[in-house]
Amino acid sequence: MTKRGGRARTGAQDKRRREEKERRRDERARGWPGFFVKLFKWGAGLAIVALVLLALAVSFAMRSLPGYHQLKATQVGQTIVVRARDGSEIVELGPSYGKWLDSNEIPQVMKDAMISVEDRRFYSHLGVDPLGMMRAVYVSVTGDKRIGATSTITQQLARNLFLNSNRSLDRKAREGILALALEMKFSKEQILELYLNKVYFGGGAYGIDSASRKFFSHPATELSTGEAAIIAGLVKAPSRYSPTADVDAAVARASVVLRLMKEQGRISPNEAAVDVSAVKLKQDKAQNSVRYFTDYVLPQLDMLLPETFEPIEVWTTLDVGMQRAATTAIKANVPKGAQGALVSLDRDGAILALVGGTDYVETNYNRAVNAMRQPGSAWKLFVYLAALEAGYTPDDRVVDTPVTIDGWSPRNSTGGFSGEIDIRTAFAYSKNTVAAQLGNEVGFGTVASMARRFGITTPISTYPSMVLGSSEVRVIDMTRAFASISSKGQSVEPYGIVKVTSADGEELYRHRPRSSSSLAPDYVVAGITDLLQTTVNTGTGRAAQIGRPVAGKTGTTNSNKDGWFLGFSSGITTGVWMGRDDAKPVGGLQGGRAPAQAFAAFMRYAVKDRPVEEFDTKVQLPEWQLEPDDEFFFGKPDDYYFIDEQGNLIEPGRPQEPGVGEMPFPVEGEGQPGRQPPAPDRRSPNGVLVPSRNSAPPAASDDFLERATGGQAQPTPVPSSTTTRNRGPRVIEIPQSGSQ
C-alpha cells in the first residue's frame, strides 16, 4: 500500500513537471510575437505623440512666419556701386537683388531647370523629402559626404530666410519644421517664386534677375534654355561653377542640368542638345585689377560714414583708361615668375591708377599698399634731400672713392670708382659711396627724419647701410614722397574717394582737401628735381624717357630681388615695383630696365592729354648760404676784415688761406673735439687732393680771434668725421678704416 502510494505521488510529480515544461515552451513560443506586438504598440504610441508635437511645432512656426509681402521685401547686406573719375560704373559690390519677378514673369524653362536639378519631387512632397532627410541624418552621423543629402527647394528657402548653413542635426530639424510651415502657409508657386528671387548665385547676385544681368547682361525674363541651365547649375556651388571664374566648369554643370531636364521630360531632346559653350557671357569687371583699388579704398568707408545698410554709390578718383594702361604696362614688362605693382597719383594726391599684382583672380594680395620691400637706391631721394637742405648744391664737387663707415664698406654697382664728380652726376649714376659719405655727414638720423617728413610710415633703421635703402617701404608711400617733390615741396595725401551718395542721390560724404604744408625749402626742391631730371636724361633712368620732361629715380636691391622706378611728369607721379613675393632673386631685374619701361609705357598714356610742363630747377640759395660767397667775390682774401660792435675796424692777424674751406658741419651724434695735429693730405684715385679730416686750418688765426674778441682765443673744433668744403671743389672725407 505504501509502495503503491509512493509510486502514485512520484507519477503525479513527473506529470506536473512535464506539464510545466510544456507550458513554458508554449510561453516561449508565444513570447516573440508578443514582444513585437508590444514594441509596435509602443512605437505607434510614440509616433502619434511625435506627430502631435511636430504638428504643434509646425503650427507654432507657421503662425510666427512673416507674411508673403514681408518676405519679398527682406534683403540682407548692403549694395555698393563704385564709380570712376568720369562717373561711369566700374564695379558693383555686395548683394544685388535685381528686379523682383512674379511667378507668371519667370520663364517656365527657368522653373523647370531649377526643379530638375534641385528638387524633382517639388510638386509632390509636403516640404520635406523623407528620403532626403534620412540621407542628411546619415551624412551628419557618419560624415560620408559621398552620399547626397540634397534639401528640397522649400528647405533651402527656409535655410536662406531664417537659418545659417551649419551642418548639424539641430539645424536640420529646425529647417524641416520651417519647411513644413512654409508649405502650410504658402502655395507651391509662391514658394518657388520666393526661392528664385532669393537664392544666391555667386558674385553678390541674389535672385535670377540679378544673376541674369550679371552673367548675361539682360533681365531674367529673356533667359534662354542654355542660360537657364547655367544659372540653375550655380546653386550647388556658386564659387566653383561661376562662369566668370571657370567657364569650363559652368558649361559642364549646365550640361548636367540639361540632361536631367531631358530625363524628367521637361524639355525635348532637341532642346537638351543646345550648345551651352556658345552662350555669350558678360565680362566680369569685378574680377579684374580694379578690385585692387576697391579693396584699398572701400574699407575707408567705415571711418568716413556712420553705420548704414542702405545702398550707396561711391565716386572715386580712378581713371579707367589709366587703370587699364597700368595693368597692361605691368603685365607686359614684369619678368617671368615675378609680380608687379603700380601707383599713380595726381598732383593733389588723387589716386589715378592702382595695380597690386599681375592677376587679381590668381592672387588678390595688394602689393601696392600692403607689401613692404627694400627700395634700394630709390631711397637716395631722402639722402640727397638732407644734403641739399644742409647746404649742398647740384654743382658741388664730391669724390667717388672707397670708404668704410663703422666697419661697413659700400661699393658701386659697377665695381669701380669715378673719383671727383659733382653731386648731380653722383645722383644720376647712383654712386653708393657718395650717398654713404653724404649720409654720414648729415647724420643717418637726419635722413630718417627726412623720410618721415615725406610720408614714409614703415620702420626706418639708422645704420649706415640705410642710405642705400635697407629699410622696407610700401609702394604707395614712396610714390607719395615723389609726388611731394612734384608738388614743389608741398605735402601730398593720397586719397581715392571723392564723394559718397545714397541711392536717391543724397550726398553722404565729400572729400575735403587737407591743408598742405611745406616739407622742404624751394631751393632744396629745385635742387632735387634737377638731380631727378638728370637721372632720366643721362643717368640710370634713361629707359623712362617719354618725349617730355621726366624726373625720377631707379632702385635695385642686392641680387635683383626688388626693382623700382619712381618719377613724375606733367603733374602725374607714378611708382613701379617688381619682384617675387618670396623675395627670391629675379634674373635681369634692375630698376632702370623693366620697372622704368613699365613706367614709360604707362606715363605715355597718362600724360597724353596734359600740356608739357618744364621743371623749375633754378636753385635760388637762401641768404645764409649766399653770404660767404658774396664776401669772397667782393674782395681779395687779404682784404678780409672784422668790425666790432662799436664799428671799429679790426685788422686780421693772418689772412685766411684761399681755397681751403670754411667751418665744416658737425656730424649728428658726434662730439666736437679740439684741434688735432695736422695729418698728411691724400689724393683720390684720379689725383684730386683730398684734405685729411684734421688738416683744415681755422677760418682765422688764434691771434686775430683774441684781438677781435678781447679775450683768450679758443682752438677751432674740428669734427672727427665731416665733409671738408671750400669755395672750389667740395670733397668728402670719411675716416678710412682699412680702405684705400
Side-chain angles (χ1 to χ4, degrees), residues 35-102:
F35 171 77
F36 284 112
V37 169
K38 291 179 181 179
L39 181 63
F40 176 77
K41 290 180 179 179
W42 276 102
L46 291 174
I48 293 173
V49 172
L51 287 174
V52 171
L53 293 176
L54 178 62
L56 290 174
V58 171
S59 177
F60 178 79
M62 185 181 66
R63 287 197 300 269
S64 63
L65 286 176
Y68 186 71
H69 293 289
Q70 288 178 285
L71 291 177
K72 287 178 61 174
T74 303
Q75 293 186 0
V76 293
Q78 182 183 36
T79 301
I80 301 176
V81 175
V82 183
R83 299 193 178 277
R85 191 180 187 89
D86 60 0
S88 62
E89 179 181 329
I90 56 177
V91 67
E92 182 176 341
L93 303 173
S96 173
Y97 291 89
K99 180 183 176 182
W100 186 276
L101 298 181
D102 293 333

Side-chain angles (χ1 to χ4, degrees), residues 134-190:
M134 292 174 63
R135 287 198 300 264
V137 172
Y138 178 83
V139 169
S140 179
V141 173
T142 65
D144 187 358
K145 295 185 179 180
R146 295 175 300 173
I147 306 299
T150 304
S151 300
T152 66
I153 283 178
T154 314
Q155 286 177 272
Q156 293 180 50
L157 178 63
R159 181 172 65 247
N160 291 338
L161 291 177
F162 309 114
L163 303 172
N164 55 40
S165 298
N166 293 338
R167 292 181 177 272
S168 65
L169 288 176
D170 175 66
R171 195 271 296 167
K172 201 69 179 177
R174 287 186 289 137
E175 177 185 291
I177 292 173
L178 288 170
L180 293 171
L182 286 170
E183 292 275 354
M184 293 283 291
K185 188 164 186 174
F186 305 118
S187 68
K188 288 287 187 180
E189 288 303 315
Q190 287 178 318

Side-chain angles (χ1 to χ4, degrees), residues 377 380 384 388 392-400 412-414 417-435 438 527-542 552-554 686:
S377 290
K380 291 174 184 173
Y384 281 79
L388 292 171
Y392 276 92
T393 68
D395 295 318
D396 283 342
R397 311 294 289 181
V398 290
V399 177
D400 175 20
N412 296 319
S413 59
T414 60
F417 304 95
S418 302
E420 183 192 354
I421 54 177
D422 57 25
I423 289 286
R424 185 180 292 106
T425 302
F427 186 86
Y429 290 93
S430 204
K431 296 296 183 179
N432 291 340
T433 60
V434 174
L438 291 172
I528 198 67
T529 304
D530 183 343
L531 304 185
L532 292 167
Q533 185 177 24
T534 305
T535 300
V536 176
N537 289 344
T538 61
T540 59
R542 291 190 295 275
K553 184 70 183 76
T554 58
N686 66 344

Side-chain angles (χ1 to χ4, degrees), residues 87-380:
S88 62
E89 179 181 329
I90 56 177
V91 67
E92 182 176 341
L93 303 173
S96 173
Y97 291 89
K99 180 183 176 182
W100 186 276
L101 298 181
D102 293 333
S103 181
N104 58 356
E105 295 178 299
I106 300 173
Q108 186 61 42
V109 69
M110 184 70 250
K111 296 179 182 180
D112 291 340
M114 193 64 72
I115 291 173
S116 297
V117 72
E118 290 297 320
D119 188 3
R120 68 179 63 188
R121 288 184 289 274
F122 172 70
Y123 287 108
S124 60
H125 61 65
L126 297 177
V128 174
D129 184 354
L131 183 60
M133 286 292 290
M134 292 174 63
R135 287 198 300 264
V137 172
Y138 178 83
V139 169
S140 179
V141 173
T142 65
D144 187 358
K145 295 185 179 180
R146 295 175 300 173
I147 306 299
T150 304
S151 300
T152 66
I153 283 178
T154 314
Q155 286 177 272
Q156 293 180 50
L157 178 63
R159 181 172 65 247
N160 291 338
L161 291 177
F162 309 114
L163 303 172
N164 55 40
S165 298
N166 293 338
R167 292 181 177 272
S168 65
L169 288 176
D170 175 66
R171 195 271 296 167
K172 201 69 179 177
R174 287 186 289 137
E175 177 185 291
I177 292 173
L178 288 170
L180 293 171
L182 286 170
E183 292 275 354
M184 293 283 291
K185 188 164 186 174
F186 305 118
S187 68
K188 288 287 187 180
E189 288 303 315
Q190 287 178 318
I191 290 173
L192 188 58
E193 178 184 324
L194 284 169
Y195 180 79
L196 291 175
N197 282 283
K198 291 283 190 178
V199 70
Y200 182 60
F201 293 102
Y206 286 82
I208 57 173
D209 189 62
S210 177
S212 178
R213 294 175 189 274
K214 177 179 179 63
F215 300 127
F216 312 122
S217 301
H218 62 68
T221 53
E222 303 173 10
L223 284 170
S224 65
T225 301
E227 292 170 343
I230 290 177
I231 290 180
L234 292 173
V235 177
K236 182 178 180 180
S239 60
R240 183 190 310 170
Y241 298 121
S242 172
T244 57
D246 191 336
V247 175
D248 294 335
V251 169
R253 177 64 176 167
S255 299
V256 172
V257 175
L258 291 173
R259 176 176 58 79
L260 292 173
M261 293 175 71
K262 184 185 73 171
E263 291 175 355
Q264 297 170 30
R266 301 183 190 277
I267 58 174
S268 66
N270 290 336
E271 291 175 306
V274 66
D275 184 6
V276 184
S277 61
V279 173
K280 186 177 180 181
L281 297 172
K282 177 183 178 182
Q283 182 182 2
D284 185 14
K285 296 180 180 179
Q287 296 298 328
N288 64 19
S289 70
V290 170
R291 289 298 301 273
Y292 287 117
F293 173 77
T294 57
D295 286 354
Y296 172 63
V297 300
L298 292 184
Q300 300 170 17
L301 293 174
D302 292 338
M303 298 180 291
L304 303 179
L305 298 177
E307 184 175 4
T308 176
F309 295 100
E310 297 298 321
I312 59 174
E313 295 189 355
V314 181
W315 304 71
T316 72
T317 60
L318 191 77
D319 186 293
V320 176
M322 292 188 191
Q323 180 71 16
R324 190 180 302 113
T327 303
T328 302
I330 291 295
K331 288 185 176 181
N333 291 281
V334 69
K336 184 178 180 180
Q339 280 289 344
L342 181 150
V343 176
S344 186
L345 304 178
D346 208 342
R347 62 177 84 245
D348 66 340
I351 301 175
L352 301 174
L354 190 150
V355 177
T358 56
D359 190 332
Y360 183 87
V361 176
E362 180 181 330
T363 167
N364 61 7
Y365 179 58
N366 199 333
R367 297 156 189 86
V369 296
N370 295 328
M372 294 172 56
R373 304 298 292 248
Q374 292 181 334
S377 290
W379 183 264
K380 291 174 184 173

